[in-house]
Amino acid sequence: MEQTIFELSRPGRVGVRMPACDVPTKPLEALLPGVALRDELPLPELSEPEVVRHFVRISNLNYCVDKGLYPLGSCTMKYNPKINDVAVNMPGFARVHPYQPEETAQGAIEVLYEMQSWLSTILGMDAVSLQPAAGAHGELLGLMLIRAYHVHRGDGETRRLVLVPTAAHGTNPASAARCGYKVVDVKTNERGLTDLEHLKEQLAKNEGHIAGFMLTNPNTVGLFEEEILEISRLVHEAGGLMYCDGANMNALVGTVRPGDMGFDVMHVNLHKTFSVPHGGGGPGSGPVGVKKILEPFLPVPMAVKNDDGTFSLDSDRPLSIGKVGPYAGAYLAVVRSFAYLLHYGREKLPQISENSVLNASYLKAKLSKTFAVAYDRPCMHEAVFSLERLKKDYNVKALDVCKRIIDYGFHPPTMYFPLIVPECLMIEPTESESMETLDAFVEALEAIAQEAADTPALVQGAPYTAPVKRLDEPFAARNLDVAWK
Ligand SMILES: *Cc1c(COP(=O)(O)O)cnc(C)c1O
């Protein structure tokens, strides 16, 4: 496409000169029909400093990874390298249009192709779709693929059950139900792992009806499923497929591949494991990887490399389930993650998982002197504690501790998930935090545990320094329109 200067040439407005980019010079009147043109846009008249101060002031009310530790378990909140912002602001990425002729967007499609192949390698899968917009969306796609597989083989109508552990993230049973499946529970044993005996029971009881098993590994209490090969074998033997909830990939990147554990299909969250901002910083992206048997059913389009070395978006896939989202996915989220992966490079990828496991293990070792570890086994990228004792002894709940840690300058960890651990705190420091930061966090929690013993009311009433005081939760739940009392 010709490289030109874009000028806003509406009468009565000063022409705004933009740097050379991929938008052709044409008067707006030539681009839009008359009815779509307005003479006036009633925007408030504000100076640049006023606008800047407004946004900086509201951004200061917020807490973010650029301000400090954000130790959410499960929903990995990683540092977002600034190089990612440089990448997404390049005009060829930022201004690419989904209806642009392919020959003018070769580099942009190449990034999609490369990302499909990097993720396939990292996950140990044969193909990857970048279309889903979130993890839950990827789960839905994964289950639709499982369904397409069974329907194609002729037992789609008899295989209507999906196994889900009781410890699973809420999106797992929700996605299964959304896809028309009935959920069958699998218990977690006292060691925090899938209860093999219960799994066998459920498989036997529902013989011929199991479509698949949705499992998170490392699982939702941060432990590696040691019996994963046996679990996969049992489920495959029963005619089901293995779905991996890859939200915990941070523990595995570059070290272990779910494809080698027997999983047939999985999603990853680019907005967790691969450093795209989340929690208001979106949009997200939840690519889905599959083994060969599911590849024909993947959504369209797929980025492909042609024999002559050019790249295209291929929609000629007769068995495809269709589309689960617009175009090729959340494009700039993919660009951010690709920049992040290139930033590490192939050789250094294992550092991501090694350091995240090291950091979590360090925290677990130090904090186990203060709080009870939910399952006393080597953790992976996150550690789970139960604060039941604190509640029994001083009536200080996990919620109170989380509110109080705000006063110490930290974002609270994940609490009350997974549901199977009472008064649960789930902490994931991620690989990018220093030992000093982790020590400061542990000291804060130790101080709060001491406060709980000495002056419980202090912890129960926190926070005192945040822009917003503790919400009156029962009031907020009953008065949704006036929650800010
Ligand atoms: C975050 C998460 C999901 C869902 O991902 P979203 O991108 O939030 O939809 C699923 N499972 C687990 C274990 C998660 O942590």
Side-chain angles (χ1 to χ4, degrees), residues 30 36 58 65 80 93 123 191 213 216 220 332 380 391 446 467:
I58 50 182
V65 267
N80 311 130
F93 296 138
L123 307 179
R191 296 180 68 229
F213 184 19
T216 315
T220 51
L332 292 181
M380 297 292 285
K391 188 178 168 189
E446 286 167 354

Side-chain angles (χ1 to χ4, degrees), residues 73-76 133-137 139 168-172 216 220 245 247-248 267 269 271-272 285 417:
S74 190
C75 290
T76 314
H137 197 192
E139 290 170 24
H169 193 267
T171 50
N172 292 187
T216 315
T220 51
D245 177 334
N248 291 345
H267 79 266
N269 306 55
H271 49 285
K272 292 183 185 172
S285 174
F417 175 77

Side-chain angles (χ1 to χ4, degrees), residues 284-398:
S285 174
V288 166
V290 295
K291 290 279 179 62
K292 273 252 164 329
I293 47 163
L294 293 174
E295 192 176 349
F297 311 111
L298 283 176
V300 287
M302 292 286 289
V304 292
K305 189 173 186 174
N306 304 305
D307 293 340
D308 64 357
T310 59
F311 297 89
S312 3
L313 292 174
D314 175 25
S315 289
D316 184 18
R317 305 175 61 85
L319 291 182
S320 166
I321 56 144
K323 277 175 173 291
V324 292
Y327 312 114
Y331 186 68
L332 292 181
V334 172
V335 173
R336 274 180 200 277
S337 287
F338 191 51
Y340 170 79
L341 285 173
L342 291 181
H343 172 73
Y344 271 92
R346 199 175 197 292
E347 282 70 36
K348 290 193 176 156
L349 275 186
Q351 283 185 0
I352 298 175
S353 47
E354 286 165 8
N355 289 340
S356 73
V357 173
L358 178 66
N359 274 356
S361 307
Y362 179 73
L363 265 188
K364 174 170 164 273
K366 290 202 98 173
L367 269 181
S368 60
K369 297 185 186 91
T370 312
F371 300 130
V373 177
Y375 301 96
D376 198 11
R377 296 191 40 238
C379 69
M380 297 292 285
H381 63 307
E382 59 196 3
V384 179
F385 300 89
S386 170
L387 273 54
E388 223 180 355
R389 253 285 41 102
L390 222 56
K391 188 178 168 189
K392 279 208 183 99
D393 292 348
Y394 313 113
N395 196 28
V396 168
K397 299 189 284 294

Side-chain angles (χ1 to χ4, degrees), residues 109 162 206 316:
I109 303 173
V162 168
N206 300 292
D316 184 18

